[in-house]
Amino acid sequence: MLRYLTKRVIMSLAIIYIVLTLSFFMIRLMPGNPMAALESQLRMQGGLTDQEIQQRVAAIYGVVPNDPILTQYKDYLLNILHGDLGVPITNPGTTVTAIIAEALPWTILIVAVSLIISFIIGVAIGSAMATFQDSIFTKVMTFVVSFLSAVPSYLVAIMLLYVLTATYRAFPAGGAYGVDVTPGPNLAYILSVLYHAVLPIVASVITSFGGWALAMKGSAVSVLGSEYVRAAESRGLSDRVISRSYVGRNSMLPMITQLALSIGFMFGGSVFVETYFQYPGIGYYMIQSVNQRDYSLMMGCFLLITVSVVITNLLVDLLYPLVDPRIVNPAARKKAEATQDGSEDVQALPVGGTVA
Amino acid sequence: MRFLSDLWRILRNDKGALVGGFIVLFYCLLAIFGPILVHVSNDQDANNAYLPPSWNHPLGTDALGQGVLSQIIVGARPIMIVGVLAAIITIFVGVLLGLLSGYAGGLTDSVIMRITDVFLTVPGLPLIIVLAAVIHTTNPFVLACVLSITAWAGLARAIRSQALSLRSSDFVEAARLQGVSIGNMVGRQLLPNVGPYVAIHFLLAITGAIYAEVGLFLLGVAPISGTNWGIMINLAMSQGALYTTDSAFYLFSPMAAIVILQVAFVFFSRALDSVFNPRLRVQ
């Protein structure tokens, strides 16, 4: 158990470190080098000595551009360890960390709620499709579900905006809560938060529950055809016992793996949804900063999205042994991984698309 | 030939997949020949802005008085080219690393799989947005590389597990005893056996790339120049198409073009799946 835990934790830390390093070098070595651009922009404005320019850039990016690259790298990592992500170019009065700290809860709210809702709807529909395979329900649902999982979430967002916000004004056009409520644990505020979250959540659920349904159907169908289910049937166990203890639990295993994989995708997809519904989450700020060429804020948002995804993945990994006890026993784990790899190949795609 | 007759039989029984296949074919032809047959003229005439559909402009006109339909036709090529390029890169990297990792085993396998794990975990779309924002390119090949930056990882994983099971099979054992080269082993022995899976993944990779590509133009992260569906939606939105019914055709035509193409790809790939996996046909 301890080995399994340490392995996962080390892997997560390694990924975070790699992404930090990547973002550091990307900002400096890429064709559009934003740091150099800022320097020359300040130089163009004139009236500043070289040292002042260096200081301005250092204030925003947290490192001195004239330093050797390794010193910059060390400063950058130390800053981030202290929670200092620099200062947004467009709003020097605040810090990137402050903006992100305010935005992250909204993104997590949208992503978590829509993930849970679409998972539950998808699993329910998928199991029903596997149980009644030749029914009209399954034929219709197969079509509906394949159709919806192929429609990009941003187009659904535009449709919802067009119909429900612009034409009928049934839902607000932006924000996380109304201007007329005071944030805090009061009913008006909570209702306002829910009201503002409805459209972003609905847009994500519409486009993602279909993927879950198809995955669940595939998983349940392959379990239904397995030997131990047939053995249970021939022992005369009731349908209820079979569907709960045999089919249900075993077809959920690959679904949990996919749950972990799809978290990253949901975070990505929420960028579109947040931007269109002007919902002040991390994705919204990320796109704002891209459009305003505010690279320190952009990289801060990207880092935080990545860290959130890595941490949620780690949590799913740590909860996994509760669902599949074989995982913590090394010998059984090898076997489980081998069989899982074999059975997973048909549906190894993360739910929702290939850009997970 | 066996493959084609199988495919035709499946398509005949599955109307959705048949229609999907024809639509994909139609879009390919559109991307190849569209820009040759139709041109988006440069003369802008505000008097013709937001015309309703007519014989001259079957889908109406945009804010500059240019026909929406001709823009849709011309806009097909850039979308398809980048989508297909990105899918080719995804498939190439994924299959190569997957086969190498599964076949070579040992240290090579561990190293490749750890790298794959990293790319599987890093959220793809945010990474694509950041890269596209910093590079800010109009070059279709570079854009395709950006779009496939994490997409190959899932494929590499799946191909590796197939290669692992192939490695212990009789014919690979026989080839190894004959001492064939690693190039022969990967290209001649392993590749043909993962081919079907790769073909399906290729179609899905195109839809994934188109999803992200159009998204980049919609968000304004990729440079807005030229004509493609994402740029059309972006312009329509920024000209306030949500709040007026005048520009409905300008906004919804490119959206429809994208949805129809994506759905067609998914339905067609399902038919390919049942050609290659006879197991699925019984169920």
Side-chain angles (χ1 to χ4, degrees):
Chain A
M1 183 71 188
L2 204 63
R3 247 197 89 197
Y4 172 79
L5 289 182
T6 32
K7 205 179 144 193
R8 300 288 140 154
V9 173
I10 290 176
M11 189 64 200
S12 305
L13 290 177
I15 290 175
I16 291 175
Y17 173 73
I18 290 171
V19 173
L20 285 180
T21 308
L22 195 84
S23 78
F24 173 82
F25 286 103
M26 204 161 77
I27 283 293
R28 280 153 194 85
L29 304 179
M30 281 270 162
N33 186 347
M35 254 179 100
L38 181 64
E39 265 188 271
S40 62
Q41 191 194 331
L42 288 173
R43 197 157 291 141
M44 292 269 283
Q45 285 172 5
L48 292 171
T49 63
D50 257 14
Q51 205 180 355
E52 280 170 330
I53 292 175
Q54 297 283 325
Q55 276 171 357
R56 291 267 181 108
V57 177
I60 284 169
Y61 284 99
V63 298
V64 185
N66 268 0
D67 280 354
I69 196 112
L70 282 179
T71 318
Q72 286 188 40
Y73 180 56
K74 197 191 75 197
D75 287 348
Y76 169 84
L77 289 182
L78 280 177
N79 283 341
I80 285 182
L81 273 182
H82 292 126
D84 177 8
L85 292 165
V87 175
I89 300 172
T90 44
N91 189 358
T94 176
T95 62
V96 171
T97 317
I99 294 182
I100 289 176
E102 220 175 282
L104 187 62
W106 299 121
T107 298
I108 291 179
L109 175 76
I110 297 287
V111 169
V113 173
S114 49
L115 190 62
I116 292 169
I117 293 179
S118 57
F119 186 79
I120 292 174
I121 298 180
V123 166
I125 293 180
S127 336
M129 283 163 76
T131 318
F132 313 105
Q133 276 184 51
D134 291 319
S135 64
I136 296 191
F137 167 80
T138 301
K139 289 204 176 86
V140 173
M141 272 331 265
T142 309
F143 179 83
V144 171
V145 145
S146 319
F147 181 86
L148 284 181
S149 55
V151 177
S153 63
Y154 42 80
L155 297 187
V156 173
I158 293 176
M159 282 303 296
L160 290 174
L161 270 176
Y162 188 82
V163 178
L164 293 178
T165 303
T167 310
Y168 288 104
R169 303 189 185 284
F171 285 95
Y177 52 84
V179 282
D180 49 346
V181 295
T182 33
N186 58 68
L187 188 67
Y189 173 69
I190 294 170
L191 286 180
S192 181
V193 165
L194 291 178
Y195 180 52
H196 283 73
V198 168
L199 280 192
I201 290 175
V202 167
S204 328
V205 168
I206 287 179
T207 47
S208 58
F209 83 90
W212 292 114
L214 288 178
M216 183 64 193
K217 184 197 170 202
S219 174
V221 163
S222 68
V223 172
L224 277 174
S226 60
E227 308 260 311
Y228 56 81
V229 172
R230 256 178 254 159
E233 275 167 358
S234 58
R235 267 159 59 206
L237 295 180
S238 73
D239 280 356
R240 252 183 83 165
V241 173
I242 292 178
S243 71
R244 187 175 302 161
S245 321
Y246 289 73
V247 181
R249 185 157 182 170
N250 286 302
S251 52
M252 280 305 281
L253 284 183
M255 298 297 287
I256 303 281
T257 317
Q258 298 222 1
L259 190 65
L261 278 176
S262 68
I263 291 168
F265 185 78
M266 294 292 283
F267 264 93
S270 85
V271 172
F272 293 120
V273 169
E274 283 173 16
T275 307
Y276 275 120
F277 294 109
Q278 299 192 30
Y279 195 80
I282 285 212
Y284 171 77
Y285 284 106
M286 191 164 141
I287 297 308
Q288 291 267 306
S289 56
V290 167
N291 288 330
Q292 294 163 350
R293 304 269 167 275
D294 189 343
Y295 290 98
S296 55
L297 182 56
M298 178 185 85
M299 289 322 290
C301 292
F302 172 66
L303 284 180
L304 245 286
I305 291 178
T306 310
V307 172
S308 315
V309 169
V310 171
I311 290 176
T312 7
N313 273 340
L314 182 66
L315 286 179
V316 174
D317 273 347
L318 297 185
L319 292 176
Y320 202 78
L322 298 180
V323 197
D324 187 359
R326 292 174 301 180
I327 285 297
V328 282
N329 174 342
R333 185 175 69 231
K334 276 235 164 72
K335 215 168 147 193
E337 273 172 1
T339 51
Q340 212 182 54
D341 270 6
S343 61
E344 238 178 16
D345 55 1
V346 186
Q347 29 155 317
L349 281 178
V351 172
T354 46
V355 202
Chain B
M1 281 308 103
R2 178 72 204 282
F3 163 77
L4 285 180
S5 71
D6 266 356
L7 180 64
W8 178 239
R9 198 161 40 80
I10 303 261
L11 284 177
R12 234 176 20 198
N13 291 329
D14 186 345
K15 292 286 175 291
L18 180 68
V19 175
F22 273 116
I23 293 176
V24 169
L25 191 68
F26 176 74
Y27 272 80
C28 291
L29 295 175
L30 200 66
I32 297 170
F33 298 110
I36 302 173
L37 300 172
V38 180
H39 295 280
V40 177
S41 64
N42 283 327
D43 30 299
Q44 299 164 352
D45 184 2
N47 290 330
N48 288 333
Y50 298 134
L51 289 179
S54 66
W55 193 242
N56 275 340
H57 302 293
L59 288 175
T61 58
D62 68 0
L64 300 172
Q66 292 167 332
V68 171
L69 182 65
S70 47
Q71 290 188 51
I72 296 270
I73 294 172
V74 171
R77 185 185 275 180
I79 295 286
M80 292 288 275
I81 284 184
V82 174
V84 171
L85 266 181
I88 291 174
I89 297 169
T90 303
I91 297 295
F92 181 77
V93 177
V95 170
L96 189 74
L97 291 183
L99 284 185
L100 200 64
S101 171
Y103 184 71
L107 186 65
T108 322
D109 182 32
S110 307
V111 171
I112 294 179
M113 275 305 115
R114 290 298 81 77
I115 296 173
T116 309
D117 282 343
V118 173
F119 279 92
L120 268 180
T121 315
V122 174
L125 209 53
L127 180 60
I128 289 172
I129 290 173
V130 165
L131 282 175
V134 176
I135 299 176
H136 212 67
T137 178
T138 48
N139 179 332
F141 182 73
V142 179
L143 193 56
C145 287
V146 169
L147 290 173
S148 42
I149 186 92
T150 59
W152 57 269
L155 179 67
R157 252 291 172 73
I159 294 292
R160 170 181 172 265
S161 64
Q162 296 199 346
L164 276 180
S165 66
L166 285 174
R167 191 163 68 149
S168 50
S169 61
D170 292 340
F171 71 96
V172 172
E173 188 78 4
R176 194 171 358 182
L177 287 177
Q178 287 175 28
V180 301
S181 67
I182 182 123
N184 177 306
M185 186 61 106
V186 169
R188 288 281 183 80
Q189 317 295 331
L190 301 180
L191 206 53
N193 285 286
V194 295
Y197 183 77
V198 171
I200 293 157
H201 201 101
F202 179 70
L203 293 183
L204 294 177
I206 297 180
T207 63
I210 290 180
Y211 167 83
E213 181 198 359
V214 172
L216 288 183
F217 286 110
L218 275 182
L219 296 173
V221 175
I224 304 288
S225 69
T227 302
N228 75 43
W229 305 332
I231 292 177
M232 288 175 72
I233 302 175
N234 180 316
L235 292 177
M237 293 283 286
S238 60
Q239 287 156 8
L242 281 185
Y243 302 96
T244 152
T245 46
D246 288 349
S247 45
F249 275 96
Y250 185 37
L251 175 64
F252 289 118
S253 307
M255 283 172 63
I258 296 162
V259 170
I260 293 170
L261 177 62
Q262 298 285 64
V263 172
F265 265 124
V266 167
F267 278 74
F268 183 58
S269 70
R270 223 179 46 197
L272 269 191
D273 209 8
S274 37
V275 177
F276 293 131
N277 285 333
R279 262 190 316 152
L280 291 175
R281 278 181 244 169
V282 192
Q283 287 159 6

